[in-house]
């Protein structure tokens, strides 16, 4: 399948979106700072009178050894609708004992069950059948994603679930193509390498892209013949367990895929430190990633792959088409309510086009359609929960207080739920909190630069190194920047291209290892060398 540019798909989907009316007045802030106050219409039915989701919650238990079960403690926790803060459902709260049960089931399924002993072709067929079922149930799963997370339904149904299906079909195709090598040796020996499944894989996924992260983790693990215990994010537990049920309908043996919902300090920590988990994969914040890595090292030294935070630069060069650059940078920042690890949240603009770019970026943010994510044409729904909502507003306030110029937004949108106005800052300095902190929200910070050496140095001056965007028509400039930037992905005149075959991961404190593509298979395989002595070989 050809690579899809998320921002392009979104612009097509929402080209007819009506912008909420807004009015601006210039006021003076404390200490003589100039700031803008955005006064949005907060009586929109899309926000104040939420649409009833077209789906019901069928599964709210743990899935262990092929069976839906309550938590051993009997505890549940509420998962909330970010449009209102109201309870969607109460979900089983997994803890240490539940993780132990899930790992035990996965261990037995790996050591004694049919999955790793099945022909690779049969594993491929089961994964493919699951992808077909997933595609058949796109509407229900997309609705669960939107209800639980707040992302626009059109985004879930037209982009993310189809991408999830594509990932599983990609790894279904890999299952029977994983093999070792025959290696020449200095002497009468036959040497071969075997690529073996690593065993029980523990996986911890985040809340911003629940189903996509489910596919990035589960797809390669199962294709390689492993068994899995996956812990869902407490904010978004509903879609993964639904999908796991479909996997069993496709013929997946019991115990191969186990789903535990619960909290990081309990269920997540238990999985990371479990002595019978052979490999761990985590996607989330850098600070939590450090804890996960420490727990893994203190237990059985299990290998860990980490896909962590980012503060990605988006570089607009002096030869750029400003209108195109504004639209692309807008999508790079605001997609998924800004809740994207690779969001291009540091927008570096050459000084020759800076003023024009800032005014057009402000206008585009003011036109962004914010509201109930189940409403057609909405570009931006609510943030996932109250914690994220408050954190984003706190960092926005810090931007105003530190002297950045608030050009658009800066406050909540509406009076209910966790909606935030699309926010744009100009005149941002590198030492400001909004320039350094991963905001994970709809906030664009625009910086001015003079030349390539300067923007390279400033772009790389970050603890993160996940991704970068370059907007230029000059091939030499593109080549210079793409090789100089210390990041795992560089997008040139595009952004957020996530084809199943393209590896994704970070430099520095954005993590280690790669997701997607052929590279992710290495995360779930052991390499064994087998050396056999040869007697009177005809050739070496």
């Amino acid at each position: 399948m050809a690579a899809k540019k998320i921002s392009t798909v979104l612009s097509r989907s929402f080209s007819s979106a009506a912008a909420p009316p807004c009015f601006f007045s210039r006021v003076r802030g404390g200490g003589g700072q100039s700031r803008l106050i955005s006064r949005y219409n907060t009586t929109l039915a899309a926000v104040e009178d939420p649409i009833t989701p077209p789906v019901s919650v069928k599964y709210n238990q743990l899935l262990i050894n092929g069976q839906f079960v309550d938590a051993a403690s009997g505890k549940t926790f509420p998962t909330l609708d970010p449009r209102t803060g109201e309870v969607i459902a109460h979900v089983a709260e997994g803890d240490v004992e539940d993780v132990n049960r899930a790992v035990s089931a996965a261990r037995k399924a790996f050591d004694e069950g049919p999955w790793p002993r099945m022909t690779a072709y049969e594993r491929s067929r089961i994964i493919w059948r699951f992808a077909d079922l997933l595609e058949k149930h796109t509407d229900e799963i997309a609705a669960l994603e939107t209800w639980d997370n707040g992302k626009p339904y059109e985004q879930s149904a037209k982009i993310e679930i189809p991408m999830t299906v594509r990932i599983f079909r990609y790894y279904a195709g890999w299952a029977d193509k994983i093999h070792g090598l025959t290696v020449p040796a200095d002497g009468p020996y036959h040497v071969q390498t075997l690529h073996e499944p690593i065993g029980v894989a523990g996986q911890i996924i985040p809340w911003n892209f629940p189903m996509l992260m489910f596919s990035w983790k589960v797809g390669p693990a199962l294709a390689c013949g492993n068994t899995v215990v996956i812990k869902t994010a407490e904010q978004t537990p509903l879609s993964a367990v639904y999908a796991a049920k479909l996997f069993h309908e496709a013929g997946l043996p019991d115990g191969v895929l186990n789903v535990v919902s619960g909290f990081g300090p309990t269920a997540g920590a238990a999985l990371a430190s479990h002595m019978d988990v052979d490999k761990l994969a985590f996607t989330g914040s850098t600070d939590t990633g450090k804890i996960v890595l420490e727990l893994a090292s203190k237990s059985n030294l299990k290998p860990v792959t980490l896909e962590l935070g980012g503060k990605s630069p988006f570089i607009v060069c002096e030869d750029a088409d400003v209108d195109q650059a504004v639209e692309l940078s807008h999508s790079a920042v605001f997609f998924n309510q800004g809740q994207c690890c690779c969001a291009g949240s540091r927008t570096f603009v050459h000084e020759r086009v800076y003023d024009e770019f800032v005014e057009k970026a402000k206008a585009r943010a003011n036109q962004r359609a914010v509201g109930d994510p189940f409403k057609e044409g909405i570009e931006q729904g609510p943030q996932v929960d109250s914690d994220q909502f408050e954190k984003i507003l706190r960092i926005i306030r810090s931007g105003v207080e530190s002297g950045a110029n608030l050009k658009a937004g800066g406050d909540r949108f509406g009076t209910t739920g966790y909606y935030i106005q699309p926010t744009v800052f100009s005149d941002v300095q590198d030492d400001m909190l909004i320039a350094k902190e991963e905001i994970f929200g709809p906030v664009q910070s625009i910086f001015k630069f003079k030349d390539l050496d300067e923007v390279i140095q400033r772009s790389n001056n970050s603890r993160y190194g996940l991704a970068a965007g370059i907007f230029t028509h000059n091939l030499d400039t593109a080549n210079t920047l793409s090789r100089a930037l210390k990041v795992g992905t560089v997008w040139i005149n595009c952004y957020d291209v996530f084809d199943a075959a393209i590896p994704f991961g970070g430099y520095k404190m954005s993590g280690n290892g790669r997701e997607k593509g052929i590279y992710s298979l290495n995360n779930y395989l052991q390499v064994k060398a087998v050396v056999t002595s040869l007697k009177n070989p005809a050739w070496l």
Side-chain angles (χ1 to χ4, degrees):
M1 186 178 94
K4 286 188 177 180
K5 181 155 73 74
I6 290 178
S7 55
T8 300
V9 178
L10 283 175
S11 64
R12 290 186 190 135
S13 300
F14 305 129
S15 59
S16 61
C22 56
F23 308 89
F24 298 90
S25 60
R26 178 75 65 178
V27 301
R28 300 298 297 178
Q33 294 172 344
S34 179
R35 62 190 178 95
L36 280 173
I37 298 296
S38 302
R39 192 157 52 81
Y40 285 77
N41 185 339
T42 59
T43 62
L44 291 175
V47 175
E48 306 303 333
D49 187 18
I51 296 169
T52 301
V55 68
S56 60
V57 177
K58 296 180 180 178
Y59 310 113
N60 61 349
Q61 295 174 286
L62 314 178
L63 184 60
I64 297 177
N65 203 28
Q67 302 296 319
F68 285 109
V69 296
D70 292 328
S73 65
K75 291 182 179 179
T76 63
F77 66 94
T79 184
L80 305 179
D81 183 344
R83 301 176 303 164
T84 62
E86 296 176 354
V87 175
I88 299 173
H90 287 86
V91 179
E93 183 181 336
D95 207 331
V96 175
E97 185 174 347
D98 304 295
V99 170
N100 288 339
R101 287 192 294 167
V103 172
S104 178
R107 172 56 58 196
K108 185 175 182 180
F110 183 79
D111 291 344
E112 304 174 21
W115 186 249
R117 294 162 183 79
M118 198 179 286
T119 66
Y121 176 61
E122 183 57 29
R123 286 200 301 270
S124 171
R125 292 180 63 195
I126 290 173
I127 299 172
W128 197 275
R129 284 198 296 268
F130 165 69
D132 289 344
L133 285 172
L134 197 63
E135 189 171 54
K136 180 179 178 181
H137 291 271
T138 290
D139 291 346
E140 301 102 293
I141 298 174
L144 287 175
E145 288 282 87
T146 292
W147 197 6
D148 221 10
N149 173 275
K151 64 179 73 231
Y153 176 76
E154 292 180 0
Q155 175 184 319
S156 297
K158 295 179 181 179
I159 301 173
E160 293 185 22
I161 304 307
M163 288 175 70
T164 299
V165 172
R166 179 66 180 94
I167 290 286
F168 277 107
R169 286 180 176 152
Y170 176 85
Y171 285 110
W174 263 115
D176 61 354
K177 301 171 186 66
I178 298 169
H179 56 78
L181 301 171
T182 300
V183 183
D186 292 336
Y189 304 102
H190 173 77
V191 182
Q192 65 182 111
T193 60
L194 302 177
H195 290 185
E196 300 180 346
I198 200 166
V200 176
Q203 302 178 328
I204 302 173
I205 58 175
W207 48 259
N208 57 333
F209 295 101
M211 281 307 300
L212 274 176
M213 297 301 101
F214 178 87
S215 68
W216 289 17
K217 299 287 189 293
V218 174
L222 295 188
C224 293
N226 299 282
T227 59
V228 172
V229 177
I230 190 165
K231 191 201 86 69
T232 55
E234 57 266 30
Q235 296 91 341
T236 54
L238 298 177
S239 56
V241 71
Y242 188 111
K245 178 65 167 60
L246 295 180
F247 233 135
H248 285 83
E249 289 183 22
L252 192 71
D254 292 346
V256 173
L257 175 60
N258 307 273
V259 181
V260 177
S261 52
F263 295 88
T266 51
L271 188 60
S273 58
H274 205 289
M275 294 294 293
D276 220 12
V277 170
D278 300 304
K279 188 268 179 303
L280 192 68
F282 171 81
T283 295
S285 73
T286 294
D287 289 342
T288 304
K290 292 179 182 179
I291 297 171
V292 166
L293 189 60
E294 182 180 12
L295 291 173
S297 67
K298 287 184 175 179
S299 53
N300 59 347
L301 208 61
K302 61 180 72 65
V304 181
T305 50
L306 301 169
E307 198 265 282
L308 306 175
K311 192 70 176 175
S312 300
F314 186 103
I315 302 171
V316 180
C317 298
E318 60 182 308
D319 66 327
D321 181 309
V322 173
D323 290 333
Q324 292 179 1
V326 165
E327 185 60 36
L328 194 61
S329 68
H330 178 86
S331 297
V333 175
F334 294 105
F335 175 66
N336 204 51
Q337 291 71 250
Q339 296 169 156
C340 188
C341 55
C342 60
S345 54
R346 289 188 294 155
T347 307
F348 288 95
V349 181
H350 193 276
E351 61 183 4
R352 291 185 184 175
V353 294
Y354 184 83
D355 291 339
E356 178 187 359
F357 183 96
V358 167
E359 290 307 307
K360 289 182 175 180
K362 166 189 167 181
R364 178 63 179 93
N366 290 335
Q367 294 167 1
R368 189 168 181 80
V370 183
D372 189 326
F374 283 104
K375 183 180 180 182
E376 185 177 356
I378 288 298
E379 294 178 275
Q380 181 177 313
Q383 309 307 129
V384 72
D385 63 11
S386 60
D387 288 344
Q388 282 298 119
F389 177 78
E390 295 296 341
K391 173 195 171 186
I392 295 164
L393 290 178
R394 183 172 65 252
I395 296 178
I396 289 173
R397 288 193 295 270
S398 81
V400 174
E401 292 165 359
S402 63
N405 190 350
L406 181 62
K407 303 292 290 185
D411 207 341
R412 76 178 301 163
F413 178 85
T415 60
T416 61
Y418 308 130
Y419 297 87
I420 292 179
Q421 297 168 358
T423 297
V424 175
F425 283 101
S426 66
D427 303 319
V428 180
Q429 304 303 311
D430 293 355
D431 60 349
M432 293 178 179
L433 185 65
I434 58 172
K436 299 185 295 183
E437 182 77 10
E438 184 183 34
I439 302 173
F440 229 60
V443 181
Q444 182 176 27
S445 297
I446 307 178
F447 307 72
K448 183 186 294 185
F449 76 92
K450 293 182 179 181
D451 55 47
L452 290 188
D453 288 341
E454 175 195 340
V455 79
I456 289 169
Q457 187 276 325
R458 293 172 65 191
S459 295
N460 287 335
N461 185 24
S462 171
R463 64 173 180 157
Y464 299 113
L466 193 54
I470 300 168
F471 205 84
T472 181
H473 295 302
N474 188 306
L475 181 61
D476 291 335
T477 298
N479 284 332
T480 296
L481 287 172
S482 62
R483 283 160 173 75
L485 296 174
K486 298 176 182 177
V487 297
T489 300
V490 176
W491 287 296
I492 302 174
N493 296 329
C494 59
Y495 208 86
D496 283 343
V497 178
F498 287 109
D499 189 272
I502 300 174
F504 184 78
Y507 286 27
K508 298 186 284 187
M509 294 181 73
S510 286
N512 55 65
R514 291 296 181 268
E515 309 270 11
K516 301 193 290 107
I518 187 174
Y519 294 91
S520 67
L521 299 173
N522 298 331
N523 301 332
Y524 297 98
L525 293 169
Q526 291 278 25
V527 178
K528 178 183 290 182
V530 179
V531 183
T532 303
S533 177
L534 297 175
K535 301 298 183 182
N536 301 316
W539 54 268
L540 289 176

